[in-house]
Amino acid sequence: QGDINYSEEVDYTITGIEPGAGITEVSYDTLDSYDNLAGWNLEESSTAGMLAQLDNAIKNEEPIVFTGWVPHHMFIEYDLKMLDDPQNTMGDSEAAHTITRLGLEEDMPSAYEILDAFNWELDDVEEIMYEAENTDVETAASNWMEDNQDKIEEWTENVEEVNDEEIELVTMPWEAEQASAAVMEQVLSDYGYDVTVTEVDPAILFESLAGGSADASVAPALPVTQGHLYDKHEDEVVDLGPNLEGLQNGFVVPEYMDIDSIEDLEP
Ligand code: PBE
C-alpha cells in the first residue's frame, strides 16, 4: 500500500449496486464479518451508477472498491482484480439455476423438457453479452444460436412442438441474465410457445414463481446470491438444477491498486 491510504481516498465506501441484488446483501455480511471493515459503508446505487463511477475512477486512475461479479463485460473493458475473500463471505463460485413454478412439468411438458436440458458455459453467455454491447441482446442471442445449433439440438431432442401456448419467463436486470433469457425466449418460440420475458428484482422473481404468475427463470444464482430467496420459497418452486457454472461475486478494484485481499483495506 506504500504511502497511499486508499481507505481515506474512497471515504471508507464500497460502491454498490441495486438494493435488491443478492450481492448487496452478501456485501453487508462482508462488512459485518471483517474487523478491518467496521468503519466502512456500502453505498447502494444501480449497476449503471456503479459502472459510471468505475469508468470515472479508471479514467483518473483513482482508487475505487466496488461490488463486482463474473460474468460481466467490466472484466473485458478494464483491468480489474477481485479481492481475495479469506472469510468467504461473498460466496464461492456458484451456478445459475433453472427454477420453475410448481406444476410446470404437467402443464407444459415441452417447455419443461427444454428448460430442464438447458445448460451452457461461461464462454457462451459471454459471447452474447459482449456482442450485445454493440447490437442488442436479441440479435446477439440469435447469432449465437445460429453458431451453436448442436447445443440447441441437445436441449430440444425429441421435444414436441406446441401450438401457440403462452409462457412467462422472468429474469433480472443484469446482462448475463438478459442473455440467458433471450436464448430461452427464442428456443421456446421456435417450439411454438408465445414467450413473454419480464425483468424483475430477485425478490419479485421468486414471488412470481412461487405464486404461479410466472412459469420459469434460468437466472437465479445459488447457493449464495439468491439463496435466502430460494430458502424462503423452497416448497413453492421447483429447482431443475444448475444451467451455468462459474459465477462469482466479490469486492473488485482496478489492477493499479496495490492490494489483493479484503483484509488489505485499512480500517
Ligand atoms: N448479480 C448478477 C445479481 C445476480 C447476478 C450478482 C448482480 C445479484 O447480485 O443478485
Side-chain angles (χ1 to χ4, degrees):
Q1 281 147 279
D3 298 320
I4 314 163
N5 187 340
Y6 294 130
S7 305
E8 257 174 45
E9 283 191 58
V10 303
D11 200 19
Y12 301 90
T13 300
I14 310 288
T15 301
I17 62 164
E18 288 81 357
I23 199 171
T24 302
E25 287 202 24
V26 297
S27 298
Y28 283 119
D29 296 341
T30 302
L31 292 185
D32 287 344
S33 301
Y34 284 82
D35 289 341
N36 58 310
L37 298 182
W40 282 65
N41 312 297
L42 177 69
E43 182 184 64
E44 293 177 8
S45 154
S46 62
T47 299
M50 176 276 282
L51 290 171
Q53 289 197 46
L54 171 62
D55 193 65
N56 192 51
I58 298 258
K59 283 195 175 119
N60 297 304
E61 231 184 275
E62 287 167 0
I64 182 170
V65 187
F66 64 99
T67 60
W69 62 94
V70 172
H72 195 279
H73 78 270
M74 61 178 125
F75 286 96
I76 297 293
E77 197 162 335
Y78 308 109
D79 288 327
L80 301 173
K81 58 186 165 188
M82 201 172 267
L83 296 178
D84 292 341
D85 175 18
Q87 296 194 31
N88 203 28
T89 48
M90 297 299 286
D92 284 322
S93 171
E94 50 183 357
H97 282 234
T98 302
I99 312 275
T100 75
R101 66 167 170 86
L102 298 178
L104 190 78
E105 185 173 13
E106 296 75 36
D107 299 345
M108 300 184 178
S110 293
Y112 181 91
E113 273 181 61
I114 293 171
L115 287 159
D116 195 18
F118 171 57
N119 188 278
W120 61 350
E121 313 276 326
L122 275 183
D123 285 348
D124 298 311
V125 67
E126 284 172 342
E127 196 179 312
I128 298 176
M129 280 160 41
Y130 302 155
E131 195 191 325
E133 290 284 291
N134 303 314
T135 54
D136 56 78
V137 69
E138 284 79 22
T139 308
S142 85
N143 288 340
W144 180 88
M145 286 171 63
E146 255 170 54
D147 297 340
N148 290 274
Q149 281 302 321
D150 52 326
K151 292 193 177 114
I152 315 289
E153 277 161 26
E154 254 179 61
W155 308 337
T156 55
E157 220 188 324
N158 300 322
V159 170
E160 281 178 34
E161 287 190 24
V162 300
N163 187 12
D164 216 26
E165 272 180 49
E166 285 184 17
I167 186 166
E168 176 100 24
L169 300 181
V170 271
T171 191
M172 306 187 273
W174 293 289
E175 58 188 28
E177 292 72 14
Q178 291 165 332
S180 56
V183 167
M184 272 300 104
E185 175 178 17
Q186 292 181 37
V187 176
L188 291 168
S189 296
D190 290 345
Y191 276 78
Y193 286 93
D194 175 3
V195 189
T196 309
V197 177
T198 310
E199 272 181 28
V200 291
D201 178 87
I204 307 293
L205 183 146
F206 272 89
E207 280 162 26
S208 61
L209 292 172
S213 62
D215 295 302
S217 179
V218 293
L222 296 173
V224 176
T225 307
Q226 268 74 52
H228 62 293
L229 294 171
Y230 179 74
D231 291 346
K232 187 171 163 193
H233 295 291
E234 195 177 350
D235 300 332
E236 305 161 313
V237 297
V238 182
D239 177 14
L240 300 185
N243 60 58
L244 171 67
E245 307 274 357
L247 313 184
Q248 182 71 58
N249 293 324
F251 284 180
V252 179
V253 300
E255 273 289 351
Y256 53 74
M257 284 175 69
D258 189 18
I259 53 171
D260 296 304
S261 167
I262 294 175
E263 287 182 339
D264 296 337
L265 296 167
E266 287 181 39

